[in-house]
Amino acid sequence: MQENRYNTCDRFLGGLEKDFIITEQIEDSPLTSEPSFLDYGIIAVCNRGSAIIHLLDNKHVWNKNELIFLFPRQLCSMRNVSEDFSAKFIIIPHVLHGDVLSSLRHFDPGFHFFVKDHFYYNIEDNNGIERFQSFCKLIENELERYRGNGLLRERIICYLGIFYMDVYDYYVKVRKKIPFRTSLRKEQSMISVVSWQRISRITRMSDFMRIN
């Protein structure tokens, strides 16, 4: 995996982990063809082609315009990658990923079971693809602008937290509709998990701190 060229600070001095990266290089992804426990969180969108994602006992054909997110310590693999496959990955080291979730409100324990089944979403509608690309660009700009800054890690935690807040918001809406003993596997058509409203608001701002 390539090293994050923007980071010059040690994490324990307030810097960002060097293996936090945004990439389109599949070889930089921690996903392998054989099942393994992830050391990273992953947020990614398939740009073209397809691949089969195995997460525990779940299998999904990852197609163009679909977003996936995977948590550290999940048993996962990626197989049958097409020759034209391309994706945009946000690779999040497990300690950073844990700090992102810890920065948010206490999650319902059922959320962690929920994400094992609901880890892929079609975001083609509502300009989801463009907004995801803008989200990645926003973080890349932060990495460039604040490289070497001791507050860079906290800024990245804030941005990633926005994504997971929207994921959790969707979980809460689904949880209210489905009884606890009913399977939460997707039986409806795919919908967009991320509203991106807050992300879109940020991308229109020149500085995150200007948000009320």
Side-chain angles (χ1 to χ4, degrees):
M1 177 179 292
Q2 68 182 22
E3 182 177 292
N4 179 358
R5 65 185 184 278
Y6 301 106
N7 185 53
T8 59
C9 289
D10 183 270
R11 177 174 67 83
F12 297 102
L13 297 178
L16 184 68
E17 286 87 335
K18 294 182 178 180
D19 46 354
F20 172 78
I21 60 172
I22 297 177
T23 181
E24 292 186 1
Q25 303 299 318
I26 189 172
E27 58 268 22
D28 291 331
S29 166
L31 292 170
T32 61
S33 59
E34 296 299 322
S36 60
F37 290 99
L38 294 174
D39 285 330
Y40 299 84
I42 299 174
I43 304 171
V45 167
C46 178
N47 296 322
R48 65 175 182 271
S50 64
I52 296 180
I53 301 294
H54 293 260
L55 178 61
L56 299 176
D57 58 345
N58 297 317
K59 181 174 72 172
H60 174 68
V61 180
W62 186 20
N63 291 308
K64 180 181 177 180
N65 297 332
E66 283 186 349
L67 178 147
I68 65 168
F69 63 93
L70 304 169
F71 280 18
R73 309 312 186 199
Q74 289 181 329
L75 184 62
C76 188
S77 65
M78 182 169 70
R79 302 177 180 177
N80 300 96
V81 179
S82 65
E83 293 184 358
D84 62 339
F85 178 80
S86 172
K88 185 92 168 185
F89 296 91
I90 302 177
I91 310 299
I92 311 167
H94 71 92
V95 174
L96 176 62
H97 190 274
D99 288 346
V100 171
L101 296 186
S102 297
S103 70
L104 307 176
R105 57 169 288 179
H106 177 67
F107 284 158
D108 183 321
F111 176 69
H112 295 281
F113 294 97
F114 176 83
V115 297
K116 294 178 181 178
D117 291 335
H118 296 70
F119 64 92
Y120 57 93
Y121 297 88
N122 190 305
I123 61 170
E124 186 173 8
D125 296 336
N126 301 319
N127 299 318
I129 303 300
E130 292 79 6
R131 292 178 180 179
F132 179 79
Q133 296 294 341
S134 296
F135 180 59
C136 291
K137 185 63 176 178
L138 173 69
I139 295 178
E140 289 173 330
N141 289 341
E142 291 293 295
L143 294 174
E144 179 65 43
R145 181 180 178 186
Y146 291 98
R147 56 182 172 180
N149 187 304
L151 294 178
L152 174 60
R153 192 171 190 271
E154 281 64 35
R155 299 179 72 88
I156 299 303
I157 286 174
C158 289
Y159 290 124
L160 295 176
I162 291 172
F163 173 84
Y164 287 113
M165 279 191 289
D166 278 337
V167 174
Y168 189 75
D169 181 62
Y170 173 66
Y171 160 73
V172 171
K173 292 176 180 178
V174 172
R175 180 67 181 84
K176 290 179 179 179
K177 295 178 181 179
I178 302 178
F180 182 77
R181 291 188 176 85
T182 300
S183 171
L184 289 176
R185 293 179 185 275
K186 290 186 296 298
E187 297 175 347
Q188 310 107 331
S189 60
M190 299 283 281
I191 67 173
S192 173
V193 62
V194 182
S195 67
W196 300 105
Q197 292 178 352
R198 282 169 283 186
I199 293 173
S200 296
R201 186 183 179 196
I202 288 177
T203 58
R204 292 194 297 269
M205 299 289 187
S206 60
D207 193 325
F208 177 73
M209 297 304 293
R210 292 173 55 188
I211 295 178
N212 295 326

